[in-house]
Amino acid sequence: MPPVRKAVGLLVLATLARGGGDPEAFAKGLAGIRDLLADGKCARAQKVLDDLLQEHAKAPYAVGRRVEIEEMAKQIVFGTTVEPPDPKKLVSGNLEQYDARTGTLRIRYTPSTMKDWTLVKHLWVHPATFNGSHSITIKGEENASSGMILVCLNNQEGMIAHLCRGAEERASISRIYPEGMAMLASAPSTFAEGASYTAKVSVNRTSVQLLSGGRALVRAPKKADEWGMLAVSAFKFEEILIAGKAEPSWIQGLVDAERQRLLAEFGKRWDPKGHLPPWLYGAPAAAPALALARPDAREWPVLLDAEAGAIVDRVVALSGKGEAAAALRLLAESRTEAIPAASLHYLRGLLLEQLGHHEEAIAACRAVREAEPDFAPVVPIEASALFALGRAEEAIVLYRALLGRFPGSPELHAQAALFLGAAGKWDEAEMMLRGAARAGVTSDELDVVGRQVHKALHGPAWQRRHDYQTSHYLVLSDMDPKVCFEASQILEQAYAVFVSRLERAPSTTERFRVFLFSGQAGYQDHVKDLFGSTAPHTAGLYAPPLRQLFIWNLPEREDMMRTVRHEGFHQYLHRIMDDPPLWFNEGLAEYFEEARVVRGVWTTGDPRHDHLALLVAPQPLKDFLFLDRGAFMRRAFVNYAQAWAFIHFLLHSTRENRQLFDRFWDSFKRIPSNADAIRDALGDRPIDSVDGEFRVHVEALRRLR
């Protein structure tokens, strides 16, 4: 156990010895249990939790932390009753050797155990990515045709060994490119037609070698950092043996996926009431929930006639379909005298907010509150509009006032907690939910929100947790300490580039939190738990409400670290401006993602030909710069490419365009509306003129191959 965690564990035991009745001691006890769980000591955590709950039985502050206690108990019971996944049972071949720390492996396959491999046309491709010396050996009784073994496959490039048969043929090693192939070395073939064979390709730091029956046949040089995947042509074989040093991500991903499957199965039968004391589920006598006021359950103030009701129904139906503009026109064209003023203002506020007319929506909502002070459904609409204008504190005041009038409403507590979270006030959301639980205000919805808040504050429930802390970052992972250290160094280096090239972020004692997941399954499950849906086709994401990074273990470690740099930029920029347009945020992230050190100096601005290849016909800037989030993401690949290209144009074309970038930067910091900020930055400069210069710049970049 690390020294800090050991000290906390001793503190927990000392606290238990002193007895209960102390909220601070109870909180420290739970913190100590979290540390035990992070070290994988589930059985010990169970004993400490049992003692802690016994010492603080029926204490209101303990009841208030029921959701947190349930999450701990679930992790404990899962860890003590469910056997952890065994990599040997997850790999289709015979896993003879595997070191999870270094990635070194040895797997033997037969024709009936090739499930790990993927058949792509005539090639079997193995999922492991090798990052050190390795080999592949193929044995067979007879084979009339020639065969191929491909190694160092990476981005459609690699090395290929030809196993040609017959006295007149030559075995060879060639380099393959997207546009063709070039032979590097060849030798007379020793593979006789119809005879048994043993072919081996061995890869080390400087060369690729083809061996026949244990004897070196042909060798070709390779680059020192050239590694990658391997594949074989689909010729007859009896056995394939692969061995060497690979990225651990493939097997880590298999283990993670299996653990998530087991956890989902466990969750279906998990009942915390069967493992925790009954007093956690009783309403405290001091503040029975039924005595607390709740808002009126009416959806609308009373309508005066059937015609008005029909209008409201049609407006609500159009709104539900996303046709807010049509619904607003219907209200304007209909006879609405029979609709109470509060209902009419509510409908208009709802539709105006859907259309993004935030100031008008706020005015309509305030008219509702003046007419019907206790009409709770209007507050989330007004809060959403205030949040969009950067006035979250005003919205929080509204929620506090509403909860003051209706402290017995689970629905309002859930809404307020989620809003506090969206505003980045997760600690306050947790404290509010604990207060509700202490008062006996509970519901299934409130429990779901409580678990979201708990995960937001404490991260995923990993069986083991590693971490590394630097000046600006706290990196946590379920993989190993090394990956935490590597990611933290990349993040600190990138942060230094950001602040030197752009602007120093406001100082704070809070460190950026970064979570590195061992597999995609755990990453997606955590994202779904927090936000209600997965994030498909993403290698990582930055969650602005949490100010946290989530990144999963990509097959190539360098790809994962590139994602770390990209998402790390979003985390940095959020400290400076709230919600700049996606072209600005993603364009800069793509730009700095490729920053590299050349002779000790960080360089940026190299052409990205992957993006340039997608920019066949860039969108006119008069449209592109004003795309909303939905429109931008519908053509994400092309729009990311144009965003990078436009940032490159601003930073690397002319002094005037660099000044335009500085004005964009300043405007997005000052002006809540992105459209207004863009117009403010452009000033008197015609956007069509900027567009013409941008297209010339893109064509110039294409010629820099």
Side-chain angles (χ1 to χ4, degrees):
M1 178 186 289
V4 173
R5 289 183 181 167
K6 185 175 181 180
V8 172
L10 293 173
L11 180 60
V12 171
L13 299 179
T15 300
L16 292 174
R18 289 198 301 270
D22 182 352
E24 185 177 347
F26 188 73
K28 288 178 179 177
L30 293 180
I33 294 169
R34 279 196 296 273
D35 286 336
L36 289 170
L37 290 172
D39 286 335
K41 298 180 178 179
C42 293
R44 180 63 181 151
Q46 178 72 74
K47 175 67 168 61
V48 175
L49 179 60
D50 289 343
D51 291 346
L52 191 67
L53 293 178
Q54 184 177 350
E55 290 292 328
H56 298 266
K58 300 183 181 181
Y61 54 79
V63 175
R65 302 182 77 138
R66 175 177 57 80
V67 168
E68 181 180 359
I69 294 166
E70 285 181 344
E71 290 296 298
M72 287 182 174
K74 181 180 180 181
Q75 191 174 351
I76 288 169
V77 177
F78 178 77
T80 54
T81 62
V82 178
E83 195 70 25
D86 181 356
K88 290 187 176 182
K89 296 179 180 179
L90 302 175
V91 173
S92 68
N94 181 15
L95 182 60
E96 299 177 350
Q97 179 187 352
Y98 175 61
D99 186 328
R101 185 178 57 84
T102 64
T104 302
L105 52 76
R106 178 185 174 91
I107 313 174
R108 196 177 301 273
Y109 292 95
T110 64
S112 63
T113 61
M114 293 288 284
K115 189 177 178 181
D116 291 338
W117 303 66
T118 301
L119 185 60
V120 181
K121 295 183 179 178
H122 63 286
L123 289 177
W124 288 100
V125 182
H126 195 270
T129 299
F130 289 87
N131 61 358
S133 296
H134 60 283
S135 65
I136 173 171
T137 304
I138 304 178
K139 294 181 179 181
E141 283 301 319
E142 62 175 307
N143 190 5
S145 63
S146 299
M148 296 182 295
I149 299 177
L150 290 76
V151 294
C152 302
L153 292 175
N154 198 345
N155 295 328
Q156 300 181 17
E157 296 189 7
M159 309 277 278
I160 179 170
H162 289 267
L163 281 63
C164 296
R165 292 178 173 277
E168 304 301 320
E169 300 293 337
R170 296 182 69 84
S172 65
I173 297 177
S174 303
R175 180 173 293 281
I176 51 176
Y177 306 93
E179 60 273 10
M181 184 167 59
M183 184 180 293
L184 301 177
S186 68
S189 176
T190 62
F191 296 98
E193 294 185 17
S196 62
Y197 67 93
T198 299
K200 179 178 180 179
V201 173
S202 179
V203 183
N204 62 31
R205 187 172 177 273
T206 58
S207 68
V208 173
Q209 185 174 211
L210 173 60
L211 301 94
S212 170
R215 185 171 64 85
L217 189 61
V218 61
R219 182 196 300 265
K222 64 175 278 292
K223 300 173 187 174
D225 59 350
E226 187 178 15
W227 308 105
M229 302 174 72
L230 55 80
V232 300
S233 60
F235 52 82
K236 294 180 181 178
F237 67 91
E238 289 187 350
E239 179 182 285
I240 296 178
L241 175 67
I242 63 172
K245 189 172 182 298
E247 297 282 3
S249 54
W250 168 51
I251 292 182
Q252 285 174 339
L254 293 177
V255 170
D256 176 67
E258 177 64 8
R259 181 176 185 272
Q260 296 307 313
R261 187 189 69 79
L262 293 171
L263 193 57
E265 284 186 357
F266 175 80
K268 292 175 184 176
R269 61 180 187 272
W270 163 249
D271 180 8
K273 292 181 180 179
H275 297 270
L276 293 170
W279 58 261
L280 273 175
Y281 297 91
L290 294 178
L292 300 177
R294 296 173 180 242
D296 195 316
R298 293 175 303 164
E299 259 190 67
W300 310 95
V302 178
L303 299 173
L304 301 184
D305 62 25
E307 182 182 350
I311 293 170
V312 169
D313 288 344
R314 290 174 62 195
V315 168
V316 172
L318 286 168
S319 172
K321 295 178 182 177
E323 300 177 24
L328 204 56
R329 284 196 302 271
L330 176 61
L331 272 183
E333 296 165 359
S334 300
R335 185 183 70 80
T336 55
E337 296 88 351
I339 302 176
S343 293
L344 195 58
H345 287 308
Y346 174 78
L347 285 171
R348 286 176 175 153
L350 173 69
L351 300 172
L352 288 164
E353 175 55 16
Q354 287 181 355
L355 292 169
H357 303 318
H358 307 304
E359 293 285 6
E360 296 172 72
I362 290 169
C365 291
R366 286 180 177 168
V368 177
R369 290 192 290 108
E370 289 174 5
E372 293 271 349
D374 292 342
F375 186 47
V378 76
V379 170
I381 299 169
E382 187 173 355
S384 175
L386 288 166
F387 185 85
L389 295 174
R391 295 156 59 185
E393 289 296 337
E394 294 178 48
I396 291 170
V397 170
L398 289 179
Y399 272 117
R400 285 175 180 154
L402 196 60
L403 285 170
R405 289 200 298 278
F406 305 116
S409 170
E411 296 79 15
L412 289 181
H413 277 91
Q415 290 173 9
L418 290 176
F419 186 85
L420 286 165
K425 296 180 179 291
W426 294 98
D427 287 320
E428 190 171 335
E430 186 175 58
M431 293 302 295
M432 185 198 69
L433 293 176
R434 288 176 187 169
R438 286 196 299 271
V441 181
T442 61
S443 72
D444 290 343
E445 179 190 12
L446 205 54
D447 282 353
V448 170
V449 172
R451 284 190 284 272
Q452 284 181 274
V453 171
H454 177 76
K455 283 183 179 291
L457 282 169
H458 302 293
W462 286 324
Q463 279 189 305
R464 290 188 69 87
R465 174 178 294 198
H466 310 278
D467 59 70
Y468 192 84
Q469 184 171 288
T470 63
S471 299
H472 300 99
Y473 293 93
L474 173 60
V475 181
L476 306 103
S477 178
D478 61 338
M479 285 182 274
D480 53 66
K482 181 182 176 185
V483 73
C484 296
F485 173 77
E486 290 174 351
S488 69
Q489 300 311 295
I490 286 173
L491 285 163
E492 283 291 354
Q493 292 165 357
Y495 184 81
V497 175
F498 302 155
V499 300
S500 65
R501 304 291 174 87
L502 297 170
E503 179 180 327
R504 182 169 294 279
S507 60
T508 175
T509 57
E510 179 188 2
R511 287 177 170 83
F512 298 109
R513 297 181 80 195
V514 181
F515 293 93
L516 304 179
F517 293 78
S518 62
Q520 187 178 19
Y523 160 79
Q524 293 289 9
D525 284 353
H526 187 68
V527 170
K528 186 176 182 180
D529 285 344
L530 287 174
F531 307 116
S533 62
T534 59
H537 314 302
T538 60
L541 62 83
Y542 171 62
L546 303 175
R547 298 182 182 270
Q548 295 175 4
L549 290 188
F550 307 128
I551 296 164
W552 66 275
N553 190 16
L554 295 170
E556 291 268 10
R557 182 56 55 88
E558 176 52 36
D559 288 343
M560 185 176 76
M561 293 308 174
R562 189 179 295 112
T563 302
V564 166
R565 284 195 294 270
H566 179 108
E567 301 301 334
F569 177 82
H570 295 318
Q571 199 174 39
Y572 152 80
L573 190 65
H574 192 204
R575 285 277 178 94
I576 295 173
M577 53 187 76
D578 284 331
D579 190 26
L582 278 184
W583 67 260
F584 189 78
N585 203 339
E586 296 295 350
L588 278 166
E590 291 287 298
Y591 175 85
F592 282 109
E593 174 185 304
E594 295 296 324
R596 59 195 180 89
V597 178
V598 178
R599 291 188 291 274
V601 178
W602 279 93
T603 66
T604 54
D606 289 345
R608 291 197 56 170
H609 295 288
D610 57 334
H611 283 336
L612 291 168
L614 295 171
L615 280 181
V616 178
Q619 288 188 70
L621 292 181
K622 63 183 178 64
D623 300 324
F624 178 74
L625 297 187
F626 295 92
L627 290 175
D628 62 23
R629 177 174 291 273
F632 188 95
M633 294 308 296
R634 276 193 290 275
R635 299 179 71 244
F637 286 113
V638 175
N639 288 333
Y640 269 66
Q642 183 160 345
W644 165 82
F646 188 60
I647 292 295
H648 194 282
F649 160 74
L650 293 173
L651 295 177
H652 292 277
S653 55
T654 66
R655 181 178 179 183
E656 184 182 18
N657 290 328
R658 172 66 208 217
Q659 291 171 342
L660 177 58
F661 172 85
D662 292 339
R663 290 199 299 276
F664 277 128
W665 184 275
D666 178 65
S667 295
F668 294 138
K669 286 168 57 179
R670 293 185 294 105
I671 302 172
S673 165
N674 285 332
D676 291 344
I678 291 168
R679 286 187 279 268
D680 177 76
L682 287 167
D684 297 332
R685 191 169 174 187
I687 195 169
D688 289 341
S689 172
V690 178
D691 188 89
E693 291 182 35
F694 168 61
R695 291 171 189 276
V696 170
H697 183 76
V698 169
E699 289 306 312
L701 288 175
R702 292 189 202 280
R703 295 192 291 270
L704 292 177
R705 274 281 189 185

